[in-house]
Each structure stands twice: as C-alpha cells, then as structure tokens.
Amino acid sequence: MLASPDTTPASPVPPEDISAAELRDLLAAQQRAFLAEGPPSAEVRRNRIDRLTAALLEHADELTAALSADFGNRPEANSLSSDVLGSMGDVTLVRTELESWMADVEIPAAADKGLPTFVQSRPKGVVGIVGPWNFPVSLVFQPAIEAFAAGNRVMIKFSEVPSRTAEVFARAVAGRFSPDEAVVVRGGTETSVAFSELPFDHLFFTGSPSVGRHVAAAAGRNLTPVTLELGGKNPVVVGHDADVRVAAERVSAARMMNGGQLCLCPDYVFVPREKVEEFVGAYRTAMSRYFPAFRENPDVVTLVDDRNFARVDGLVEDARSKGAEIITLVPEDELTSLPDAASRRMPPTLVLGVTDEMAIAHEEVFGPVISVLPYDTVHDAVEYVTARPHPLAAYWYGEDTADFREFVHRTTSGGLTRNDMALHYGIEGAPFGGVGQSGSGAYHGKVGFDTFSHQRTITQSLLPVGVAPSSMPPYTDERLAQLRGAVAQNLADVRKRLGESD
C-alpha cells in the first residue's frame, strides 16, 4: 500500500551534530529496506517523487524566508523561481517518461544469432547527494527526483552554510518520508567528510572543484561511482557582429543572478578592442536600470557569508593593487559606502586591464564582479580559453558566423549558449554536466535516470553448443588455420580503409 500525505507519519529529523556511526546506521537501514523491497514499481517511484515535490511546495514560504535570512538578503521572487519552482519541469518530464525509461531494451542483432539479449535498467541502491550553498534546495531536489525515478533510496547532505534553510528542508522531508526511504542530514565539515566516506551505491556532489577532489578521493576508497557538478571561470565572447547593447544588457543580468553566486554565471567577457568603451557604457546603463539604488535596495542578493565577501573583495583589491582599472557601477552618492562588509553588499563591478599576475584571472569569482578583456581576432579568445581548465559553461553573443563555429569547434565546456544565459541548463531532457575541472558525469531527465541506474545486460543462449566447450582443446590444425585466416582478413580490411597497399 502506498503512503499518502494523510498516512505518512512524520519522522524525527536527524540531529545537526549527527555522528559518523549514526550516519552508517542510516545508510544500513536504507540498504536493508532497498534489498527487502527490490526494484520498486513505477507507481511507487512516482509516489516518492510526488511526496518530495509536495514537501518542497508546501514549505515554500518557510524556505524562502529561511533563504533570505541565511543570505542576509535574498528576494522571495529569486528563491521561488530558482529553488522552489526551478525543477518542476523536470518533475513533469520524469513522471511522463518513467515507464519508457524503465522498459527493457532488446538487442535485435543478438537475437538474430540465437542469443536473445536485452538491457535492463536497475536501481543502484542508495544514492548519497551532497548539495551546495548557492542554490541549496533545488540542487539537491533535482538529483533526488531522478534518483527516485531510477528506483533508489536517497540520503541528502544539506550544506551547512544556509543553516536555517537546512532545518526547514530536513523537517519538510521528514514529514513525508521514513528515514529508510529519504533522509536529510545537516552539520559542518566533520559531517560532510563522514558522509562522503560512506559506501554509497552512487555519490552525487555539487560544489567547488577543491572540495570535489576530496569527495572523489573519499568515494574512490569505497569504489563508489561519483557524479561531480563543479564550476569554473565561464568565458563570454562578444562577436564582432554582435549588438553590443544587447550583449551588455544580457551579460550584466547574468552576472548579477543570485548576486553572482551561480556556477553558470559569466566570469570574464571578451569584447572587440574597438568596442570595449561602448560595452562598458551599455553595461553601466543596464545596471542602473536593474539597480537604480544598491545600498538599501531590497532586490539585491547579498553575498552569503563573511568568508565569501572577504574573498571577492580581496580579488578586486588584488587586481587594483596590480594595476587593473576598477569600475564600480552604483550611484555616485553610494560609492563611498560600498562595498559594505557589515551587510555583505558587494556592488556590481567591472575589472579592466586584467593580467595573469592577478588572482582574478585564475579564481572563480562567485560574486557580482566581471573582467572585461579586449581581443582582436577569435583566435586570441580561443587560445586564452583553451589554455585554461574547461569551464562549466561558455557563451557567445552574435550571429552564427565562422567565428562562432570556430569557437564551438575549438573550445571544450560543460555546455554552451549563444545570445543568452545558461539556456543549455534549462532544456528539459538535455544532459547537464561539466568536463574536466568543471565536473564529470551528467544529469537532468533521461540522462539523470541513467546516471542513477545500472545497465544490466541479460543474454540467453539458443545455440546447440556452448561457448566454453567450443573453445576447449584439442586445438586442431583446421581450427588454427581458421583463426589465422581471420587475423589476415581483418588486417587486409583495415589496411584497405587506411588506403595502404597489400
């Protein structure tokens, strides 16, 4: 019998200072329950998806209030659109396509050889999900939905930075799930380390590359497969043919999303050398429209904590001390009061004259600051981008020209969008993930279902002889001649493809 909102008893919320032993007990309980149940039906999977969705939506007001308190200031509209409603399209897609994804896939060519074969998608078991602080709800909710769709049970380690939000979300999930189905744990670094060291059947991590290395190492000791969703310095190229005003308007808005605390934000922008001044002016105009005042504006997202504020402010000051031009884009009467450490309000900032000696040239900003770099040819921009670790996203503004095609062909990134911000992230059913330092593995839709599934091949034999007996001695001269003939034929075929003469 499926649990319903009226019959699901509220479970106790794990304590914030949960021990490593208690974490192991939670995992063991989920593993036992998974083995007892076996792969769940589509009906059960949908029920779990719906319960998790209900837990999110019915606590929307509490979550948005907690998010604002945790950030210092985060507008309700921002939190509703991103952390509460951002994954609803994926919920609909998963629910609609679930049976087709679960269905066995036959291999027709094998059947023709008397070996009927199909591939079965089986749940892996218990999935661990470690979430970030910048979008702390949506970036654990979406992978959990896809892990449920694949038939798994879920343990979530919520970021300790937004502690109020963590408490609300943990309570929301406990109100809809028994801990052997889904559970949210909180806690600081010690808890995070102990969580990563658990022998999950799959571990999913969203966060920084530096922490991702430790997570991957801990998982590796258990041979636990890992999906890493990391970040990086995302480049933008404004093409020579682009409308500079439109590009500046969209890049500035993208840089200010969530106060710049978004792994898909543009980090630096290449602008044709002769159009840099025009771009800066258009960026300033757009910013004054978005934020006619900044110091007391309730629509501003502040930096999440003192540590991130000090880090971003330090990047700007390091660049200034090494000769960069710093342009602060706030009303003149606010210039002397910003940035403000007490309220963690970091103003929108342009950095010009960036050199490799500056930390901002190498470190992901994660704040409302963007570097503007002049370029002459697309080759200049491509060489700069390809000399650095692969970013999570890349952006181009302009027409579908030969320059754009060269940029696409020569660079590698998790995804790419032309003429807008992060569209590749929001296309339902399209895979999302990083590459190299920006991550490994992918999720969203069917790809997420596959990430949390094991593809098991099942073959039956209708042949009159067995494979193993047919390979046993005695090895006759006739059999050896057949094998040598096969080697010669394969060699002739490959030489022909290479255009080589016999």
Side-chain angles (χ1 to χ4, degrees):
M1 180 177 178
L2 296 178
S4 71
D6 297 326
T7 61
T8 304
S11 302
V13 177
E16 192 167 5
D17 57 348
I18 189 169
S19 68
E22 289 170 315
L23 283 172
R24 289 193 294 270
D25 288 343
L26 285 173
L27 175 60
Q30 289 209 356
Q31 289 172 328
R32 288 192 300 269
F34 173 78
L35 291 173
E37 178 188 41
S41 66
E43 184 182 14
V44 169
R45 300 182 196 201
R46 280 203 186 89
N47 177 264
R48 289 173 180 160
I49 291 169
D50 288 345
R51 278 189 280 144
L52 186 61
T53 305
L56 171 64
L57 296 175
E58 64 198 4
H59 288 82
D61 290 344
E62 283 186 89
L63 287 168
T64 56
L67 283 162
S68 186
D70 283 329
F71 272 78
N73 191 71
R74 198 185 199 225
E76 181 182 8
N78 186 21
S79 294
L80 285 174
S81 62
S82 59
D83 273 291
V84 175
L85 297 173
S87 300
M88 291 302 111
D90 195 59
V91 170
T92 300
L93 176 68
V94 169
R95 293 187 85 264
T96 302
E97 300 295 335
L98 187 55
E99 275 93 354
S100 66
W101 296 348
M102 291 173 61
D104 297 340
V105 177
E106 293 186 4
I107 309 297
D112 294 342
K113 298 175 182 177
L115 300 168
T117 298
F118 64 92
V119 179
Q120 182 185 62
S121 291
R122 289 183 63 85
K124 290 185 174 180
V126 179
V127 171
I129 297 172
V130 183
W133 56 258
N134 60 330
F135 292 95
V137 179
S138 62
L139 292 181
V140 296
F141 175 83
Q142 182 153 358
I145 287 298
E146 294 170 4
F148 277 147
N152 301 284
R153 292 169 185 249
V154 173
M155 289 178 62
I156 295 171
K157 169 58 182 74
F158 207 91
S159 170
E160 71 276 14
V161 175
S163 57
R164 301 171 185 85
T165 310
E167 188 278 327
V168 174
F169 190 72
R171 180 162 38 84
V173 172
R176 290 280 184 175
F177 289 90
S178 62
D180 65 2
E181 279 185 298
V183 66
V184 177
V185 298
R186 299 166 290 157
T189 302
E190 286 187 13
T191 304
S192 297
V193 170
F195 190 92
S196 299
E197 291 175 343
L198 293 173
F200 291 109
D201 297 293
H202 194 102
L203 184 58
F204 185 99
F205 171 81
T206 303
S208 69
S210 59
V211 178
R213 290 186 180 92
H214 294 293
V215 170
R221 288 189 285 273
N222 294 314
L223 297 181
T224 296
V226 181
T227 300
L228 299 174
E229 297 296 340
L230 309 177
K233 292 183 71 64
N234 303 318
V236 182
V237 177
V238 177
H240 286 275
D241 64 322
D243 184 319
V244 172
R245 180 191 61 79
V246 170
E249 176 185 68
R250 296 183 185 182
V251 171
S252 64
R255 178 70 270 184
M256 294 304 294
M257 289 184 70
N258 204 42
Q261 299 163 111
L262 172 59
C263 57
L264 290 166
C265 276
D267 202 281
Y268 60 96
V269 53
F270 276 103
V271 180
R273 190 176 301 276
E274 68 277 10
K275 296 182 178 180
V276 168
E277 186 175 343
E278 181 185 0
F279 180 86
V280 170
Y283 196 104
R284 183 189 297 276
T285 298
M287 204 59 68
S288 65
R289 185 167 70 254
Y290 300 139
F291 302 104
F294 197 85
R295 183 69 179 82
E296 305 294 336
N297 193 326
D299 293 335
V300 168
V301 178
T302 54
L303 297 193
V304 72
D305 57 17
D306 294 339
R307 178 182 178 183
N308 198 41
F309 180 91
R311 188 188 59 79
V312 176
D313 190 47
L315 290 174
V316 174
E317 292 309 311
D318 173 75
R320 190 196 306 273
S321 71
K322 294 173 180 174
E325 179 184 359
I326 308 300
I327 303 175
T328 306
L329 303 173
V330 295
E332 190 171 347
D333 61 355
E334 295 184 352
L335 285 172
T336 57
S337 61
L338 291 168
D340 179 57
S343 63
R344 301 196 300 276
R345 287 185 178 245
M346 177 63 61
T349 303
L350 294 175
V351 183
L352 280 68
V354 172
T355 63
D356 268 355
E357 293 73 31
M358 301 172 186
I360 200 169
H362 307 283
E363 184 176 332
E364 184 178 6
V365 175
F366 235 63
V369 179
I370 190 168
S371 302
V372 180
L373 309 177
Y375 80 101
D376 297 308
T377 71
V378 68
H379 309 289
D380 302 332
V382 165
E383 287 181 7
Y384 187 96
V385 172
T386 56
R388 286 155 174 76
H390 302 318
L392 184 59
Y395 301 104
W396 180 280
Y397 284 84
E399 298 302 318
D400 185 358
T401 59
D403 279 358
F404 169 65
R405 292 301 176 106
E406 180 174 352
F407 182 73
V408 172
H409 179 67
R410 293 276 311 282
T411 62
T412 299
S413 59
L416 189 149
T417 292
R418 181 168 71 90
N419 288 336
D420 213 327
M421 155 71 176
L423 291 182
H424 61 275
Y425 174 87
I427 300 299
E428 293 168 13
F432 173 77
V435 56
Q437 190 165 298
S438 60
S440 59
Y443 71 124
H444 287 195
K446 176 63 161 58
V447 173
F449 176 90
D450 290 341
T451 289
F452 298 118
S453 299
H454 168 61
Q455 307 297 317
R456 181 166 73 167
T457 299
I458 299 174
T459 301
Q460 304 172 67
S461 176
L462 305 182
L463 301 178
V465 295
V467 171
S470 65
S471 65
M472 290 291 100
Y475 300 120
T476 64
D477 291 343
E478 181 183 4
R479 176 60 176 155
L480 188 57
Q482 289 174 341
L483 294 171
R484 288 173 173 169
V487 170
Q489 184 60 56
N490 278 276
L491 178 58
D493 291 344
V494 72
R495 283 179 171 170
K496 183 177 181 182
R497 293 196 296 270
L498 291 169
E500 298 175 358
S501 59
D502 294 337

